[in-house]
Amino acid sequence: MRTKLLIFITVVGLGIIGALGWVGYKLFTTGFSAKGNPHPIEVFLARQIRHLAIPIEQRNTPNPIPRSPEVMKESLAHFADHCATCHANDGSGQTPIGKNVYPKAPDLRLADTQSMSDGEIFWVIHNGIRFTAMPAWGEGDLDKDVDSWKLVHFIRHLPQLTPEEVDQMKTFNPKSKKELKEGDDAAAARTDGDHHH
């Protein structure tokens, strides 16, 4: 019995050393470029570490904010203003930033995110994830971070997002200086047009 356990520990240990050696080799040969895609082993290990990093009581915390039309409206605007720059309005991650960070911004509509508990999603929003582009958005005590809990409801809704909601979100997306100037120019042109009538 003891021999089998020793063999098992040795095999697992060699497996871990091999995986770390492989990751080290990949980093050495590709540098620290953000252009590549993480290997499935790297993705698996990162997800396991993320899962283990979230305290068990937090993982099991249910969303204390009841879902309502008002909460959904508020969280839609919040997501469009804070999250869509990386995750896109539809949650796909297909934005210039989302596609070019390492690891890439995940598609929040897929099972990798949707299968997480409400408590896990909240934890990621509030605390961020080290060594990724995911910042910690939560301020102050966990208990007082109502906005992140509201966002959990919206993230759950992403797979059912309607084209109308995506259009509505465009009005809440942050605007670049160029977009603001174009908007001002268009408004000025409309005003000039009104004066000529």
Side-chain angles (χ1 to χ4, degrees), residues 98-182:
K99 290 188 293 189
N100 288 298
V101 292
Y102 188 92
K104 314 263 177 266
D107 187 331
L108 300 177
R109 303 168 298 182
L110 301 181
D112 288 335
T113 298
Q114 295 296 325
S115 64
M116 292 170 72
S117 69
D118 284 358
E120 286 177 308
I121 295 174
F122 169 84
W123 182 265
V124 168
I125 297 166
H126 185 87
N127 293 292
I129 304 175
R130 286 185 189 188
F131 310 115
T132 75
M134 181 61 193
W137 290 108
E139 291 177 15
D141 295 342
L142 284 173
D143 305 340
K144 296 187 178 81
D145 187 2
V146 174
D147 289 339
S148 293
W149 280 117
K150 289 178 180 178
L151 278 172
V152 172
H153 283 304
F154 188 75
I155 289 165
R156 292 275 182 239
H157 175 67
L158 284 171
Q160 294 86 43
L161 204 63
T162 66
E164 293 75 31
E165 287 171 316
V166 173
D167 278 346
Q168 185 187 354
M169 291 171 84
K170 290 176 186 168
T171 63
F172 298 110
N173 291 143
K175 305 282 183 273
S176 67
K177 285 182 181 174
K178 182 182 173 200
E179 289 169 321
L180 289 170
K181 184 176 176 350
E182 286 169 359

